[in-house]
Every structure is written in C-alpha cells, then in structure tokens.
Amino acid sequence: MLLPILIAVIVLALMVLVLEKNIKSRMAFYAFCGSLLLALSIAGYGYYTSTTNSYEELDESAIRHITAQQLAFGEWYTNYKKKLDAIDYCWVSYHRIMKDFQNEDISLREAYNRLTQLESNVVSLHNEIYQMTPPISLDDANYDLTSSILKKTKAYSDGQLKTIRATKMMADPEKMPTEQHDVQMGYLKDAMLVNSPDMLFTAGEINSLRKNLTIPEVN
C-alpha cells in the first residue's frame, strides 16, 4: 500500500519540476498544479471509500458466518451438556451405592439390585451418546474440535458402563465367594479401580471453539 503512494509522490514531484521549467506562465503552472492535486484528491477519496466499503462488507459477511456457526454449535452443545449432566448423575449414583454398601447401609443384594438398575440407565444413555454427531454445517476446524469432544466423551461413557457392569457382576450374591463384608467390599473396589475411566478433559477443545466462535471487534 505504501509503495504505490511513494512512487506516485516521486513521479508527481518530478513532473512538477519539469513543468516548472517548461511552463513560462506562473498562473498556468499554478492552475495546472491545483487541477492535478484536485484530481488526485478525488481519486484518493474514491479509492479510500471503495476500500472502506469492501472492508465493511467483509466484516458483515464474517459476522454473519460466525453467528451461523454459533447457532449450529450452540444447539448441539445444549443437547451434549444434557448428556454430560446425565453421565455425571449416573457416576454420582454409582459412588453412592458403593458408599452405602461400604457403610453397611444396604445389603449386598440391595447393592446388586441398584447396580443392575443403574446399568440399565447407563446403557440407554450410552446409546444416546453414540447417536450424537457434530453439526455438518460447522467449518472443518470447528467440526474437528467438536468431533474430538464427542470422541473423548464416548470413551468416558465406555469406561463408565464397563465399571458399573463389572461391579454389578462382582456384587452378584449368587457368585460372591465370601460372606465377610470387608472382603466383599474389596472385590467391589477392585472392579471399580480396574475399570474406571480416565478423567474427561475437553477444556482445550472448548477454549478453541470459544475463540473461533467469538465475533472479533471491528476497528
């Protein structure tokens, strides 16, 4: 942008020097320079206006695009958050069963029955999560980030279901090899520790999506 302006200034300066030497009438010389400056001013203003309008149109287009991306992801994330809350609720219920049995507030049979019901609930939730897909209207980058969130969540759901199922099988009163409560609890804890999923970390993807879906300030 600066180079064409610099060249134009140099050419204009040389032209003025040449004309000053060849035009004998000072009045004609000043009139010519005034006309030239006026023409350049009009041309410059026209260029600035067209450029500004182009930038404004580009900004409006970008804002419309980001807004559409926000709506697409927002609708998906609302549904996803409900599933995530349900996962957390199931996990809290699982640990409550384990704690109640450890404190001998419930029998092994009751723990088994509650784990069986919880497993049924988690299976339904697990299937719902596996039916989720990222919005196809998202840009490639946002689509990939959403896919990553979903992949991690599915893996976490897999681990949760595996843990509850393994603990339920271990809590089956018909198959429990001992009547000692502490030993029974040890079996259930082993099933939990061996199968529990890693923590679900999606903060990186969420932060990147938040950045991508934020409308930039227009200067």
Side-chain angles (χ1 to χ4, degrees):
M1 180 66 183
L2 292 176
L3 183 59
I5 295 175
L6 182 60
I7 293 174
V9 170
I10 294 174
V11 171
L12 179 60
L14 292 175
M15 185 181 298
V16 170
L17 290 175
V18 171
L19 291 174
E20 184 180 14
K21 293 181 179 180
N22 290 277
I23 297 179
K24 296 180 180 180
S25 172
R26 286 291 178 184
M27 185 63 68
F29 173 73
Y30 292 143
F32 176 82
C33 290
S35 299
L36 184 60
L37 288 173
L38 179 61
L40 289 174
S41 298
I42 294 173
Y45 177 77
Y47 175 78
Y48 171 78
T49 303
S50 63
T51 303
T52 301
N53 291 337
S54 297
Y55 285 146
E56 289 178 352
E57 291 176 1
L58 179 62
D59 291 337
E60 290 177 1
S61 176
I63 290 172
R64 285 195 299 270
H65 178 72
I66 294 175
T67 300
Q69 294 283 292
Q70 288 175 343
L71 292 174
F73 178 76
E75 182 178 356
W76 179 89
Y77 188 74
T78 298
N79 185 38
Y80 167 79
K81 191 63 170 59
K82 292 179 181 178
K83 300 293 187 294
L84 195 62
D85 290 342
I87 288 176
D88 290 340
Y89 178 79
C90 290
W91 208 224
V92 169
S93 299
Y94 170 76
H95 284 282
R96 185 181 298 117
I97 295 171
M98 295 288 284
K99 182 178 180 181
D100 287 348
F101 179 68
Q102 182 177 11
N103 294 337
E104 299 188 70
D105 293 331
I106 59 175
S107 65
L108 183 64
R109 171 66 65 180
E110 178 64 19
Y112 175 76
N113 291 339
R114 287 170 61 178
L115 286 168
T116 300
Q117 181 59 53
L118 180 60
E119 179 191 18
S120 177
N121 296 339
V122 170
V123 167
S124 298
L125 176 60
H126 183 268
N127 292 336
E128 291 176 4
I129 291 172
Y130 264 81
Q131 291 175 1
M132 295 185 69
T133 57
I136 60 175
S137 58
L138 290 178
D139 290 343
D140 290 344
N142 295 331
Y143 186 94
D144 291 343
L145 289 168
T146 306
S147 295
S148 178
I149 292 173
L150 200 51
K151 181 179 179 181
K152 289 181 178 181
T153 307
K154 288 177 180 178
Y156 187 81
S157 180
D158 289 341
Q160 183 188 67
L161 178 58
K162 183 179 179 182
T163 303
I164 294 171
R165 183 166 285 164
T167 308
K168 183 209 73 171
M169 293 176 63
M170 190 60 66
D172 188 345
E174 305 301 327
K175 298 179 180 179
M176 179 60 70
T178 180
E179 295 293 332
Q180 296 182 22
H181 178 268
D182 291 344
V183 179
Q184 291 176 343
M185 189 64 213
Y187 283 133
L188 269 60
K189 281 186 175 180
D190 287 343
M192 177 182 69
L193 294 175
V194 169
N195 297 284
S196 290
D198 294 330
M199 296 291 290
L200 178 60
F201 290 112
T202 59
E205 290 87 347
I206 295 297
N207 288 335
S208 295
L209 280 161
R210 184 180 294 111
K211 181 179 179 181
N212 293 347
L213 298 177
T214 298
I215 297 176
E217 295 183 1
V218 180
N219 296 324

